[in-house]
Amino acid sequence: MSDQLRPRASLRTAVVWEVLKDALDRQVKATGRDALDVLDTGGGTGNFAVPVARLGHRVTVVDPSPNALFALERRAAEAGVADRVNGVQGDILGLFDVVERGGYDAVLCHGVLEYVDDPAEGVRHAVAALRPSGALSLLAAGLGGAVLARALAGHFTEARHALSDPAGRWGEGDPVPRRYTAEQLTGLVEGADVEVGAVHGVRVFADLVPGVLVDTEPGAMEALLKLEAAAAELPAFHSVATQLHVLGTRRP
């Protein structure tokens, strides 16, 4: 698939983008509308919002950073989709100060739950923004991937600390405030009246493979992308993924 139809084909976005695009295609068929209304909470500079707009959908990005929203505006203009991307300043816990309830066919909540004070409330807000049978795409940091990374780097005490820490942090210097297991994320989603459709492990291998190997070995990037896609849905690999992706549908 061309870059016109997805974010830059990278190990960080490819699996999530394929799942998201399929979900949007299903929403198009279910609603009978070619252009969906999509909300991207914490969407930043538009890594997903701009490609979604390229598909013909209307995207509202809510982000607390004015700088990110400025970059989003410039990026959307360069991509020729400025008329389909609207950036507004705000955050998920104050979501309905800036957007309407129940106004969207799909909501993206990527890289948000790690930083909010009340993750359950954040998920409830994301779901409340959905129309009945709307799609929720939730992406958050995985606990297992962090534990594995610290252990492989030789930081065994930090790895053990992350396992026992309620927030999944490996120490005071950890830049990520909160990490999740697949069970914790699906529990948050199901508790917000969403039916979980799929769970994917993201960056299962990508963060462990030396970059020089991927960059210099012919065909290595494509092969690694295929490996990531093959492993993403297998529950055995969810426990070691750097990120976890949950796709769900708001119950009618």
Side-chain angles (χ1 to χ4, degrees):
M1 185 168 58
S2 75
D3 286 346
Q4 290 294 314
L5 296 179
R6 71 180 183 188
R8 180 174 175 268
S10 74
L11 297 170
R12 292 178 177 272
T13 61
V15 168
V16 177
W17 175 250
E18 295 299 337
V19 174
L20 177 61
K21 184 179 180 299
D22 287 345
L24 294 174
D25 288 345
R26 289 194 297 272
Q27 286 295 103
V28 166
K29 293 176 182 177
T31 61
R33 290 183 284 109
D34 292 335
L36 302 175
D37 295 305
V38 178
L39 174 65
D40 189 354
T41 65
T45 61
N47 285 341
F48 284 91
V50 169
V52 167
R54 282 190 181 127
L55 296 175
H57 305 307
R58 297 176 292 269
V59 187
T60 298
V61 175
V62 175
D63 196 277
S65 168
N67 290 337
L69 293 174
F70 178 77
L72 168 71
E73 183 178 356
R74 184 175 63 243
R75 188 174 188 172
E78 291 173 350
V81 295
D83 59 329
R84 294 197 293 273
V85 176
N86 178 40
V88 292
Q89 190 173 1
D91 60 50
I92 197 163
L93 295 184
L95 191 60
F96 302 114
D97 294 333
V98 293
V99 302
E100 63 175 310
R101 291 178 181 269
Y104 298 90
D105 301 294
V107 171
L108 282 58
C109 184
H110 295 173
V112 173
L113 295 187
E114 296 93 327
Y115 301 96
V116 296
D117 293 332
D118 189 340
E121 183 70 7
V123 174
R124 286 194 292 269
H125 281 203
V127 174
L130 283 168
R131 291 168 178 152
S133 299
L136 174 67
S137 176
L138 183 68
L139 182 69
L143 170 62
V147 172
L148 186 60
R150 299 316 288 173
L152 290 178
H155 304 300
F156 307 122
T157 300
E158 292 178 350
R160 183 165 56 85
H161 185 278
L163 279 174
S164 60
D165 185 72
R169 304 184 75 228
W170 47 256
E172 290 298 322
D174 193 336
V176 179
R178 189 179 288 106
R179 294 186 179 87
Y180 299 88
T181 64
E183 291 75 18
Q184 288 170 333
L185 276 185
T186 54
L188 285 172
V189 170
E190 290 171 342
D193 206 27
V194 168
E195 182 177 350
V196 174
V199 180
H200 297 87
V202 180
R203 291 157 58 194
V204 175
F205 307 103
D207 291 350
L208 304 177
V209 176
V212 65
L213 174 64
V214 177
D215 294 336
T216 59
E217 188 71 20
M221 173 66 82
E222 189 63 28
L224 185 52
L225 283 168
K226 290 179 179 178
L227 177 61
E228 288 280 351
E233 291 191 51
L234 300 178
F237 291 99
H238 295 168
S239 60
V240 294
T242 298
Q243 292 178 308
L244 294 165
H245 181 245
V246 177
L247 184 70
T249 305
R250 182 177 184 178
R251 294 188 174 95

